[in-house]
Amino acid sequence: MVITKMSWHPQYRSSKFRHVFGKPASKENCYDCVPITRSVHDNHFCAVNPHFIAVVTECAGGGAFLVIPLHQTGKLDPHYPKVCGHKGNVLDIKWNPFDDFVIASCSEDATIKIWDIPKQLLSRNITLSKKELLGHGRRVGLLEWHPTAANILFSTGYDYKLMIWNLDTKEPVILNPVKTIDFHQDVILSMSFNTDGSLLATTCKDRKIRIIDPRAGTVLQEANYKSHRANKVLFLGNMKKLLSTGTSRWNNRQIALWNEDDLSVPLIEEDLDGSSGVLFPFFDSDTKMLYVVGKGDGNIRYYEISAEKPYLNYLTEYRSYLPQKGIGIMPKRGLDVSSCEIFRFYKLITTKGLIEPISMIVPRRSESYQEDIYPLTAGSQSALTAREWLSGMNKGPILVSLRPGSELVNSQPQFPERTISNSRPLESNRYLDRIERKMTFEDAKKPHKFQDEKRPRQGMDQVQEDRKPWLSNGFDLFECPPPKTENEVSFPHFAPPQSKWLWPLQQQLLHGTRTRTR
């Protein structure tokens, strides 16, 4: 008799990001009454950095975009100043990764403009740009800054040309790019750099993926695979892989993973659905997580990328009934590490004139800094000058730590604080003082099992300073506390109160009623 041994495989992959969930901001921490553009161009229409959120807006008689300080949430003044110097609709905007007060914009008027944004709040429209780039013969649709070299900007236009600009000059008007790449036979749909910026991947309206040496202007690899018609392409960090989104031959929306050194056949293809909206991919090289956002969808799918088969591991998706017109993402240095936030989207909802922040959070019990989910990440200092990169040098990004207290290159300016209308007076703080004393007394009685958790709660210190005791990073912690267990992850909005003495305070803060605590 032959006995066959059956191998057991776990139902789920072991992953620290298996329970990542999306948490939308509360209404008062969204940006309301924003006249978002109704352009049909397939772009993000939004750019974010730790200081500002910029969004392309509807504007009569030319093109314009708004630059709103990140803290200035709530309803936007209908007469809020705009950045308006283009004669045609603005098609793309991108913040300089090494200067949080410089932004580039391109337009249907075939020009590219570089703008200086003042550190104080805007008081009037900005119409005079810092630099103007004139080289394209038709409208300019895409912009990308070089990831490691300062003052290097890439642009593509409807003249089928890809241009490289050196902004490290004193001339306010630049007529000629340092390099023009003109072998594309149709409109370029997307661009993506590898980590050190030595390679550039593009997708074209002919549905081909090309890997280009941008300084030499030569094609290194080209995909002629007919079953996948690529629309957007993305380098996956240092993994030697590319990801593209597009459609299959049966017009299903599809994602495909490619080997950087061989674009003949994809490593994997996966059909998603039969919708028609363009899929925007975003990759976090620190966590190896891929986010796929569909234009016109309300959901955000996310995956984990691995170096071995099956390469693409589906985690779950964030669901919403509100469709997104465009999307912006916050650089890693602008995230709230105290709440284990690993990614943040800014979702443009045209139907409501709303910009809604959505935080992707890893549920953790400990309040200490989570070193394993926050490795060193790209900072705001360039590794190369424009001249060094153009001469042939390559360098990876300069990495910084996200640990609170570690030095970052740029510090945030001190904008005037915006008062929150539903903040309660000092009366509420007396209850919080009582709670903090009770917590200290209860902690003293607990055994010293978890030394890293026995430290003052940062939230209570912030309460006394900001007079916003129940808001943290724009979220209502009492109304929807972060999940602590796997059961709570499935139903995060129905998590039970954390202790019997905290429940009366929740009721008081949420409903404005006075409840006696025992």
Side-chain angles (χ1 to χ4, degrees):
M1 184 177 69
V2 178
I3 299 176
T4 304
K5 292 185 178 179
M6 298 181 64
S7 62
W8 179 82
H9 296 281
Q11 186 176 1
Y12 299 103
R13 288 179 64 253
S14 176
S15 169
K16 66 185 76 171
F17 304 111
R18 194 177 79 185
H19 294 309
V20 170
F21 67 98
K23 189 177 180 104
S26 55
K27 184 63 184 280
E28 63 268 19
N29 290 283
C30 296
Y31 304 83
D32 204 358
C33 301
V34 181
I36 300 167
T37 180
R38 297 185 181 275
S39 169
V40 296
H41 201 68
D42 289 330
N43 267 352
H44 298 159
F45 298 122
C46 182
V48 188
N49 69 23
H51 300 147
F52 300 104
I53 176 169
V55 58
V56 180
T57 180
E58 282 291 296
C59 180
F65 60 95
L66 296 166
V67 176
I68 308 168
L70 206 66
H71 73 276
Q72 194 169 323
T73 54
K75 288 190 175 181
L76 189 72
D77 186 340
H79 302 292
Y80 189 82
K82 298 181 177 68
V83 181
C84 48
H86 286 287
K87 297 177 182 176
N89 291 333
V90 174
L91 298 181
D92 198 12
I93 48 176
K94 290 284 174 20
W95 287 105
N96 187 334
F98 310 119
D99 190 338
D100 287 342
F101 301 94
V102 172
I103 190 170
S105 63
C106 62
S107 166
E108 290 183 348
D109 62 10
T111 66
I112 303 162
K113 292 179 185 287
I114 312 297
W115 308 87
D116 271 338
I117 304 300
K119 295 186 179 182
Q120 66 273 14
L121 294 177
L122 294 181
S123 57
R124 57 190 176 85
N125 288 351
I126 299 178
T127 56
L128 187 62
S129 61
K130 177 183 179 181
K131 288 183 187 298
E132 187 172 8
L133 316 182
L134 304 175
H136 285 282
R138 298 180 64 187
R139 56 182 172 171
V140 188
L142 279 175
L143 295 173
E144 285 291 344
W145 293 90
H146 193 277
T148 60
N151 296 313
I152 293 290
L153 181 69
F154 284 62
S155 65
T156 68
Y158 279 66
D159 52 5
Y160 310 160
K161 293 179 181 178
L162 191 156
M163 296 186 179
I164 306 174
W165 303 87
N166 179 8
L167 307 183
D168 195 11
T169 62
K170 294 182 179 178
E171 288 79 16
V173 178
I174 303 176
L175 297 175
N176 298 307
V178 294
K179 183 78 177 178
T180 300
I181 300 171
D182 58 359
F183 51 72
H184 291 86
Q185 300 300 311
D186 213 324
V187 178
I188 299 170
L189 301 176
S190 71
M191 295 186 286
S192 176
F193 285 100
N194 65 346
T195 305
D196 63 4
S198 60
L199 298 176
L200 178 71
T202 65
T203 53
C204 184
K205 210 168 182 180
D206 60 11
R207 304 303 185 180
K208 292 181 181 178
I209 301 171
R210 295 175 176 89
I211 297 179
I212 301 167
D213 181 339
R215 283 172 296 212
T218 56
V219 178
L220 304 179
Q221 293 279 334
E222 183 174 297
N224 287 310
Y225 190 67
K226 302 296 183 184
S227 295
H228 176 78
R229 292 175 289 179
N231 194 294
K232 304 291 181 184
V233 68
L234 194 65
F235 265 104
L236 300 182
N238 289 320
M239 301 187 72
K240 297 289 185 181
K241 292 180 176 61
L242 290 169
L243 182 119
S244 64
T245 64
T247 56
S248 68
R249 62 177 65 187
W250 295 280
N251 281 334
N252 290 325
R253 290 199 299 187
Q254 189 180 63
I255 57 178
L257 196 68
W258 307 81
N259 185 341
E260 180 185 305
D261 299 322
D262 181 11
L263 298 185
S264 58
V265 178
L267 298 171
I268 189 172
E269 294 175 273
E270 184 169 323
D271 286 1
L272 299 186
D273 54 40
S275 299
S276 59
V278 172
L279 294 171
F280 297 113
F282 299 94
F283 182 66
D284 181 359
S285 57
D286 298 340
T287 61
K288 302 292 189 294
M289 284 184 65
L290 169 74
Y291 302 87
V292 180
V293 182
K295 182 179 178 180
D297 299 356
N299 58 344
I300 299 173
R301 298 175 175 90
Y302 37 105
Y303 304 78
E304 198 170 5
I305 306 291
S306 58
E308 297 83 25
K309 290 183 179 181
Y311 304 117
L312 195 65
N313 303 288
Y314 175 75
L315 294 173
T316 184
E317 66 182 63
Y318 165 81
R319 293 177 179 268
S320 169
Y321 67 92
L322 296 172
Q324 53 249 0
K325 169 78 172 182
I327 202 91
I329 60 168
M330 173 65 76
K332 294 298 286 284
R333 55 193 173 89
L335 300 181
D336 180 11
V337 298
S338 64
S339 63
C340 296
E341 182 184 34
I342 58 170
F343 215 77
R344 190 190 305 164
F345 294 98
Y346 287 80
K347 176 177 173 177
L348 306 187
I349 306 169
T350 310
T351 54
K352 291 183 174 290
L354 189 72
I355 305 175
E356 180 185 47
I358 300 169
S359 290
M360 311 307 295
I361 294 175
V362 180
R364 292 284 174 95
R365 283 183 178 275
S366 175
E367 295 178 359
S368 59
Y369 178 71
Q370 305 293 304
E371 197 83 46
D372 61 322
I373 61 175
Y374 295 116
L376 294 179
T377 190
S380 57
Q381 185 177 4
S382 61
L384 295 167
T385 64
R387 179 174 295 182
E388 287 172 340
W389 183 78
L390 290 170
S391 67
M393 290 181 63
N394 292 319
K395 278 188 182 178
I398 295 178
L399 304 180
V400 297
S401 171
L402 296 181
R403 180 184 290 275
S406 62
E407 294 203 9
L408 293 177
V409 177
N410 286 352
S411 58
Q412 294 195 10
Q414 297 300 316
F415 290 111
E417 278 295 325
R418 193 178 76 84
T419 57
I420 294 182
S421 58
N422 62 351
S423 296
R424 298 193 56 87
L426 295 176
E427 179 184 6
S428 299
N429 290 334
R430 290 201 294 268
Y431 285 90
L432 288 158
D433 289 339
R434 187 187 309 170
I435 286 172
E436 190 173 8
R437 289 196 298 271
K438 186 174 180 67
M439 287 172 57
T440 306
F441 176 72
E442 290 189 355
D443 282 347
K445 297 192 295 182
K446 292 178 181 176
H448 299 274
K449 289 171 63 179
F450 306 104
Q451 294 294 337
D452 62 330
E453 295 184 16
K454 293 188 65 54
R455 58 185 183 83
R457 293 174 65 91
Q458 295 175 354
M460 293 303 173
D461 296 335
Q462 193 71 19
V463 162
Q464 302 300 326
E465 294 175 8
D466 294 345
R467 301 288 188 256
K468 295 184 284 188
W470 51 90
L471 291 178
S472 173
N473 191 32
F475 303 133
D476 193 331
L477 294 178
F478 293 116
E479 182 178 5
C480 185
K484 301 292 185 183
T485 65
E486 291 189 16
N487 290 335
E488 293 179 18
V489 168
S490 302
F491 303 97
H493 296 288
F494 299 97
Q498 297 178 3
S499 66
K500 61 184 179 181
W501 52 266
L502 187 58
W503 179 248
L505 177 67
Q506 285 183 264
Q507 296 303 302
Q508 178 191 345
L509 295 182
L510 293 176
H511 304 295
T513 59
R514 186 183 295 275
T515 309
R516 184 181 298 275
T517 58
R518 296 187 178 182

